[in-house]
Amino acid sequence: MKRGASIRVLFDETHSESWTVSRQRALEIDPERPGYSSYQQAADDLAARDFAILRNLDRPLTSIDADVLVLLHPCDAKWERTTGGSPVLAPAELAGILAFVEQGGGLLVVTEYEHDKYGDNLNELLAPFGLTIENTTIFDQQHCVAGNPAWFFAEVGTSELTHGVEKACFYQAGSCRGGTIALQARTGAGLIALAKHGKGRVALITDSMLFGDEHFQDYSHRQLWRNLLY
């Protein structure tokens, strides 16, 4: 039961993100496979609880009127179909997001494997928080789905983030370092990193398909998503 939309979550769609929280926009991006561009289920799950879902369609991220800002895999359009715009955050936007976190905002950054090719400047954004996205692809031959080592199961430890999470599958994930590694591959590579900065918090996720419509219902992904936003 929805207890009240007290937490405002702003999904940016102005920096060539690979995902949208609008099913209609996902249909426009990819009519044949909208689920590959849609976080509609993830957004709907939040909206049914304590969250108000907002979309940024036309404003620079210099002043953020929300409690949480989400960047869903900014990516040069030569690699994937996107929401449009440039994947590069302007200097004023970098400063605006930094101030937002320092003042108590939450920042959720979602990226992908082989990060460097996507043409974003997320590492510049994350540097003040002590987080780094590595230019990698993680494989696990032993703990994977249907013999595909790129689709592997994370090592789920015991933490606030993994409360109620029994199993999470990453699909073509990269790795990260810095902060607190909250979820990792069995190789030891970081998959989700958390950091505190000023009064705010930052979460970095290295696989965007994890919470997309095609995989949101898989394993414990719904619970992990809720934990991240709370």
Side-chain angles (χ1 to χ4, degrees):
M1 178 181 293
K2 188 173 181 178
R3 296 187 293 276
S6 59
I7 307 168
R8 297 165 299 159
V9 184
L10 178 64
F11 289 87
D12 182 61
E13 297 188 15
T14 67
H15 289 88
S16 196
E17 280 89 359
S18 297
W19 303 89
T20 172
V21 293
S22 165
R23 182 72 174 182
Q24 181 57 46
R25 183 71 181 99
L27 279 165
E28 295 168 2
I29 293 172
D30 191 344
E32 295 182 356
R33 191 181 177 186
Y36 197 61
S37 300
S38 175
Y39 262 50
Q40 178 78 65
Q41 291 184 32
D44 286 350
D45 186 73
L46 297 179
R49 299 174 69 81
D50 298 322
F51 301 87
I53 303 304
L54 310 172
R55 295 169 67 203
N56 181 42
L57 303 177
D58 55 11
R59 299 186 64 180
L61 297 173
T62 51
S63 179
I64 301 158
D65 184 18
D67 299 299
V68 181
L69 171 65
V70 184
L71 303 177
L72 294 177
H73 185 28
C75 173
D76 191 302
K78 73 179 180 181
W79 296 106
E80 297 182 18
R81 300 182 182 187
T82 74
T83 57
S86 169
V88 177
L89 294 158
E93 293 179 305
L94 295 172
I97 296 172
L98 178 60
F100 167 72
V101 175
E102 288 176 341
Q103 294 163 12
L107 173 63
L108 183 65
V109 176
V110 181
T111 185
E112 273 289 351
Y113 72 111
E114 295 180 358
H115 168 258
D116 288 359
K117 72 184 183 183
Y118 294 116
D120 61 62
N121 59 342
L122 292 180
N123 273 330
E124 185 178 0
L125 171 67
L126 294 167
F129 312 124
L131 302 175
T132 302
I133 304 165
E134 298 178 313
N135 187 43
T136 53
T137 305
I138 304 302
F139 299 101
D140 188 332
Q141 298 277 359
Q142 296 183 331
H143 307 92
C144 58
V145 177
N148 180 355
W151 287 25
F152 64 89
F153 294 104
E155 185 173 33
V156 177
T158 302
S159 70
E160 182 180 15
L161 182 64
T162 57
H163 175 75
V165 176
E166 297 180 359
K167 208 169 191 178
C169 183
F170 284 68
Y171 311 87
Q172 294 183 310
S175 62
C176 59
R177 54 185 167 84
T180 299
I181 299 300
L183 216 64
Q184 65 181 22
R186 286 175 170 81
T187 61
L191 300 172
I192 296 181
L194 307 176
K196 294 182 179 180
H197 185 84
K199 298 179 181 179
R201 294 185 178 188
V202 181
L204 170 61
I205 298 92
T206 59
D207 172 35
S208 66
M209 292 174 63
L210 178 65
F211 302 119
D213 282 4
E214 293 187 351
H215 297 290
F216 187 68
Q217 307 291 343
D218 294 354
Y219 310 108
S220 304
H221 296 181
R222 180 194 298 271
Q223 184 62 48
L224 180 59
W225 172 251
R226 292 175 179 173
N227 292 353
L228 276 164
L229 270 295
Y230 276 115

